[in-house]
Coordinates of all heavy atoms in Angstrom, one line a residue:
K81 N -0.4 58.6 69.1 CA -1.7 57.9 69.1 C -2.6 58.5 68.0 O -3.3 57.8 67.3 CB -2.4 58.0 70.4 CG -1.8 57.2 71.5 CD -2.5 57.3 72.8 CE -1.8 56.4 73.8 NZ -2.6 56.2 75.1
L82 N -2.5 59.9 67.8 CA -3.2 60.5 66.7 C -2.8 59.9 65.3 O -3.7 59.6 64.5 CB -3.0 62.0 66.7 CG -3.7 62.8 67.9 CD1 -3.2 64.2 67.9 CD2 -5.2 62.7 67.7
S83 N -1.5 59.7 65.1 CA -1.1 59.1 63.9 C -1.4 57.7 63.8 O -1.8 57.2 62.7 CB 0.4 59.3 63.8 OG 0.8 60.6 63.7
A84 N -1.4 57.0 64.9 CA -1.7 55.5 64.9 C -3.1 55.2 64.5 O -3.4 54.2 64.0 CB -1.4 54.9 66.3
I85 N -4.0 56.2 64.8 CA -5.4 56.0 64.4 C -5.5 55.6 62.9 O -6.3 54.7 62.6 CB -6.2 57.3 64.7 CG1 -6.4 57.5 66.2 CG2 -7.5 57.3 64.0 CD1 -7.0 58.8 66.6
F86 N -4.7 56.2 62.1 CA -4.8 56.0 60.7 C -4.2 54.6 60.3 O -4.7 54.0 59.4 CB -4.1 57.1 59.9 CG -5.0 58.4 60.0 CD1 -4.9 59.2 61.1 CD2 -5.9 58.7 59.0 CE1 -5.6 60.4 61.2 CE2 -6.7 59.8 59.1 CZ -6.6 60.7 60.2
E87 N -3.2 54.2 61.0 CA -2.7 52.8 60.8 C -3.8 51.8 61.1 O -4.0 50.8 60.4 CB -1.4 52.6 61.6 CG -0.8 51.3 61.5 CD 0.4 51.1 62.4 OE1 0.9 52.0 63.0 OE2 0.8 49.9 62.5
I88 N -4.4 52.0 62.3 CA -5.4 51.0 62.7 C -6.6 51.0 61.8 O -7.1 49.9 61.4 CB -5.9 51.4 64.2 CG1 -4.7 51.2 65.1 CG2 -7.1 50.6 64.6 CD1 -4.8 52.0 66.4
I89 N -7.1 52.2 61.4 CA -8.2 52.2 60.4 C -7.8 51.6 59.1 O -8.6 50.8 58.5 CB -8.6 53.7 60.2 CG1 -9.3 54.3 61.4 CG2 -9.6 53.8 59.0 CD1 -10.6 53.7 61.9
G90 N -6.5 51.8 58.7 CA -6.0 51.1 57.5 C -6.1 49.6 57.6 O -6.5 48.9 56.6
E91 N -5.7 49.1 58.8 CA -5.8 47.6 59.0 C -7.2 47.1 58.9 O -7.5 46.1 58.3 CB -5.1 47.3 60.3 CG -3.6 47.5 60.3 CD -3.0 47.4 61.7 OE1 -3.7 47.2 62.7 OE2 -1.8 47.6 61.8
W92 N -8.1 47.9 59.5 CA -9.5 47.5 59.5 C -10.1 47.5 58.1 O -10.8 46.6 57.6 CB -10.3 48.5 60.4 CG -11.8 48.3 60.4 CD1 -12.5 47.2 60.6 CD2 -12.8 49.3 60.1 NE1 -13.9 47.4 60.5 CE2 -14.0 48.7 60.1 CE3 -12.7 50.7 59.7 CZ2 -15.2 49.4 59.9 CZ3 -13.8 51.4 59.5 CH2 -15.1 50.8 59.6
L93 N -9.7 48.6 57.3 CA -10.2 48.6 55.9 C -9.7 47.5 55.0 O -10.4 47.1 54.1 CB -9.7 50.0 55.3 CG -10.2 51.3 55.9 CD1 -9.6 52.5 55.1 CD2 -11.7 51.3 56.0
A94 N -8.6 46.9 55.4 CA -8.0 45.8 54.6 C -8.6 44.4 54.9 O -8.3 43.5 54.1 CB -6.5 45.8 54.9
I95 N -9.4 44.3 55.9 CA -9.9 42.9 56.2 C -10.9 42.5 55.2 O -11.7 43.4 54.7 CB -10.5 42.8 57.6 CG1 -11.7 43.7 57.8 CG2 -9.4 43.1 58.7 CD1 -12.4 43.4 59.1
P96 N -10.9 41.3 54.8 CA -11.9 40.8 53.7 C -13.4 41.1 54.1 O -14.2 41.3 53.2 CB -11.6 39.3 53.6 CG -10.2 39.1 54.1 CD -10.0 40.2 55.2
Q97 N -13.7 41.1 55.3 CA -15.1 41.2 55.7 C -15.5 42.7 55.8 O -16.7 43.0 56.0 CB -15.3 40.7 57.1 CG -15.0 39.2 57.3 CD -13.5 39.0 57.6 OE1 -12.7 39.9 57.7 NE2 -13.1 37.7 57.8
F98 N -14.6 43.6 55.5 CA -15.0 45.1 55.5 C -16.1 45.4 54.5 O -16.0 45.1 53.4 CB -13.7 45.9 55.2 CG -14.0 47.4 55.1 CD1 -14.2 48.1 56.3 CD2 -14.2 48.0 53.9 CE1 -14.5 49.5 56.2 CE2 -14.5 49.4 53.8 CZ -14.6 50.1 55.0
R99 N -17.1 46.0 55.0 CA -18.3 46.4 54.2 C -18.7 47.8 54.5 O -19.8 48.3 54.4 CB -19.5 45.5 54.5 CG -19.4 44.1 54.2 CD -19.3 43.8 52.7 NE -19.1 42.4 52.4 CZ -18.0 41.8 52.2 NH1 -16.8 42.4 52.3 NH2 -17.9 40.5 52.0
G100 N -17.7 48.6 55.0 CA -17.9 50.0 55.3 C -18.2 50.2 56.8 O -18.1 49.2 57.6
C101 N -18.5 51.3 57.2 CA -18.8 51.6 58.6 C -20.3 51.4 58.8 O -21.2 51.9 58.1 CB -18.5 53.1 58.9 SG -19.1 53.6 60.5
A102 N -20.6 50.6 59.8 CA -22.0 50.2 60.1 C -22.8 51.5 60.4 O -24.0 51.5 60.0 CB -22.0 49.3 61.3
F103 N -22.2 52.5 61.0 CA -22.9 53.7 61.3 C -23.2 54.6 60.1 O -24.3 55.2 59.9 CB -22.2 54.5 62.4 CG -22.0 53.7 63.6 CD1 -20.9 53.0 63.9 CD2 -23.1 53.5 64.5 CE1 -20.7 52.1 65.0 CE2 -22.9 52.7 65.6 CZ -21.8 52.0 65.9
I104 N -22.2 54.7 59.2 CA -22.4 55.4 57.9 C -23.4 54.7 57.1 O -24.4 55.3 56.5 CB -21.1 55.6 57.2 CG1 -20.1 56.5 58.0 CG2 -21.3 56.1 55.8 CD1 -18.7 56.6 57.4
N105 N -23.3 53.4 57.0 CA -24.3 52.6 56.3 C -25.7 52.7 56.8 O -26.7 52.9 56.1 CB -23.9 51.1 56.3 CG -22.6 50.8 55.6 OD1 -22.1 51.7 54.8 ND2 -22.0 49.6 55.8
A106 N -25.8 52.7 58.1 CA -27.2 52.8 58.8 C -27.7 54.2 58.5 O -28.9 54.4 58.2 CB -27.1 52.5 60.3

Side-chain angles (χ1 to χ4, degrees):
K81 289 181 180 191
L82 288 170
S83 296
I85 288 171
F86 289 83
E87 179 183 349
I88 295 159
I89 294 294
E91 291 169 1
W92 173 56
L93 298 180
I95 64 171
Q97 302 85 358
F98 175 77
R99 299 289 180 267
C101 170
F103 301 97
I104 293 172
N105 294 347

